Amino acid sequence: MNIVLGVAGGIAAYKACHVVRLLKEQGHSVRVVPTEAALKFVGAPTWEALSGQPVATDVFDRVEEVQHVNVGHGADLVIVAPATADLLARARAGMGNDMLTATLLVTTCPVVYVPAMHTEMWLNPATQDNVATLRDRGAHVMEPASGRLTGADSGPGRLPEPADIVEYALSKAGETPPVGNHALAGTRVLISAGGTREPLDPVRYLGNRSSGKQGVALAQVALELGAHVTVCAANIASDVLEPIRGRATIVPVETTAELHEQCVAHGEKSDLIIMAAAVADYRPAEIAEHKMKKSGDDGMTLSLVQNPDILKDLVARFGDTKNIVGFAAETGTADDTPETLAQQKLLRKGCRALVFNSVAQGAVFGDDATSVIVYERHGSQVRELVRASGSKQEVSRVVMESVAQLLPS
């Protein structure tokens, strides 16, 4: 594995030398990218001797090799240890004014930040907000250890031990075998979750009752089964996302168009796509520039246009190269039961399988319990794969384990 080890300017930089050694002993290629401040603690010759690779700190170093782009492009994992308060702030702001931050901007591989700083810096609201934002964007931020800091101070903010850093970082790159059932080990899973919102004006929107709990529960189970998980999160509250924060890549979206764009982009890199989000079928033809006011007693007429059919488009784009699972929340009609409508949807969309639940009288949305039927498509035929009832976590486990059986060995 090609690993970039970023080193920020803190006294804990000396511990990063041991991180390099441990990674090299495990057979990984390590490229050290220190900041200028880091070189005041450990010099470039030390990093080059330990890694066996040249060190660059400035975006203008070896310009002919386009290092500020190529180093990040070639990485399978980026670790920043220590990650100082300054580095976390610059990474959150998307700055690229040195080799390390430029690398962070261009890389698409897992990124692990290992903070090290004084307790007051770590607990400062600005730092905590920066960490939360980086986690929301899909980065992994390891919790600092507690103990003796520089001088006589003690508290949270100490750099974890090198062996713990290596174990944590490699696990985020899929190097640590999952414990127990690992039916999805190494599988790249994309899950859409939550409910899209279509703005009417700067204040109002058309939306639905979805909380995103089911999609997040599916992501939790997929992680436990060893998958690399990306969640396109449509308007999901922060507390609902907390169980997967720092473990899954979270891509926040608001509208159906945004969800469509992100699902296409991340679907390209996924082996399994699960469309659990409640998607708005229509959006306003026009969005009012200002808050709409009452115009009398005659009410209001809204003109709506149809949104893209995300599930059908993904099936059309990826065909049999991806395993795509849809969701159907049905209430039934005077002519058809909810189950019949779900089976018809599976055939109409053309996806591999579909998870059905009844939402009559607003059931399921926001609740902690649910009941589902998983249908599998065989050509023009539909068969029931499994039924499950219970907490959304329990149901998600049944769904994910049944879906895992559909994947190639």
Side-chain angles (χ1 to χ4, degrees):
M1 184 184 299
N2 293 321
I3 299 176
V4 171
L5 177 64
V7 184
I11 194 165
Y14 76 92
K15 283 188 176 181
C17 296
H18 299 283
V19 173
V20 177
R21 179 176 59 80
L22 290 172
L23 291 171
K24 292 283 289 182
E25 287 176 352
Q26 294 190 35
H28 300 291
S29 172
V30 183
R31 177 75 176 264
V32 181
V33 181
T35 64
E36 284 288 349
L39 295 181
K40 296 182 181 294
F41 295 94
V42 179
T46 299
W47 297 124
E48 291 178 343
L50 289 171
S51 68
Q53 298 202 48
V55 164
T57 61
D58 193 281
V59 293
F60 294 104
D61 290 339
R62 296 188 175 91
V63 175
E64 75 282 0
E65 298 178 15
V66 200
Q67 281 199 114
H68 70 290
V69 173
N70 290 337
V71 171
H73 279 177
D76 299 309
L77 172 66
V78 175
I79 308 169
V80 183
T84 60
D86 174 76
L87 188 282
L88 292 171
R90 290 195 290 132
R92 182 261 174 91
M95 298 179 69
N97 55 349
D98 61 12
M99 188 67 178
L100 178 52
T101 52
T103 298
L104 292 169
L105 279 177
V106 301
T107 192
T108 57
C109 69
V111 176
V112 174
Y113 295 93
V114 189
M117 63 199 74
H118 264 66
T119 299
E120 293 82 1
M121 291 182 176
W122 172 246
L123 298 179
N124 188 284
T127 301
Q128 290 298 304
D129 185 57
N130 291 337
V131 168
T133 299
L134 290 170
R135 283 173 170 163
D136 282 342
R137 294 172 182 169
H140 307 284
V141 183
M142 190 176 184
E143 287 295 316
S146 291
R148 183 71 176 270
L149 304 171
T150 306
D153 295 338
S154 184
R158 178 184 174 90
L159 190 77
E161 292 306 306
D164 294 332
I165 294 171
V166 169
E167 180 181 2
Y168 177 88
L170 292 181
S171 73
K172 301 309 175 186
E175 282 292 300
T176 301
V179 178
N181 182 354
H182 46 90
L184 294 176
T187 303
R188 297 163 297 180
V189 178
L190 171 65
I191 300 174
S192 73
T196 60
R197 296 174 179 176
E198 306 297 337
L200 288 164
D201 62 23
V203 177
R204 303 177 181 89
Y205 60 84
L206 297 177
N208 56 66
R209 301 177 188 273
S210 178
S211 64
K213 289 181 178 180
Q214 184 70 78
V216 171
L218 288 166
Q220 284 181 264
V221 174
L223 288 164
E224 292 171 9
L225 296 179
H228 305 293
V229 180
T230 298
V231 177
C232 288
N235 307 294
I236 301 178
S238 180
D239 62 321
V240 175
L241 287 170
E242 195 58 39
I244 61 170
R245 199 182 305 281
R247 303 168 61 203
T249 299
I250 300 174
V251 182
V253 298
E254 179 179 6
T255 67
T256 299
E258 291 172 358
L259 180 63
H260 185 201
E261 179 184 1
Q262 294 300 327
C263 284
V264 170
H266 291 278
E268 290 278 2
K269 301 173 285 186
S270 301
D271 305 303
L272 172 63
I273 302 172
I274 301 178
M275 299 300 295
V279 179
D281 293 326
Y282 296 90
R283 68 182 185 276
E286 294 182 0
I287 302 173
E289 185 177 352
H290 305 289
K291 180 182 176 183
M292 294 183 292
K293 302 295 184 182
K294 291 181 181 177
S295 57
D297 298 327
D298 296 331
M300 176 186 296
T301 300
L302 292 176
S303 177
L304 303 178
V305 295
Q306 190 165 300
N307 271 321
D309 188 325
I310 302 177
L311 179 57
K312 192 171 183 178
D313 181 63
L314 292 176
V315 172
R317 285 174 181 270
F318 301 131
D320 295 331
T321 64
K322 311 285 182 184
N323 289 276
I324 303 175
V325 179
F327 262 66
E330 301 288 353
T331 60
T333 66
D335 299 321
D336 294 301
T337 65
E339 291 83 357
T340 298
L341 292 176
Q343 294 177 39
Q344 291 173 353
K345 180 177 180 178
L346 174 57
L347 293 175
R348 189 171 65 253
K349 303 292 186 179
C351 48
R352 179 69 187 278
L354 184 137
V355 181
F356 155 73
N357 55 6
S358 175
V359 292
Q361 286 79 50
V364 176
F365 287 128
D367 294 343
D368 293 324
T370 190
S371 178
V372 306
I373 303 174
V374 181
Y375 293 112
E376 180 187 6
R377 180 182 61 83
H378 284 276
S380 60
Q381 302 297 314
V382 174
R383 75 178 182 96
E384 183 179 311
L385 194 60
V386 70
R387 291 181 181 233
S389 296
S391 71
K392 289 184 174 177
Q393 195 70 28
E394 292 168 338
V395 168
S396 293
R397 179 163 294 280
V398 174
V399 169
M400 292 304 303
E401 290 180 349
S402 64
V403 168
Q405 298 174 19
L406 304 178
L407 300 178
S409 300

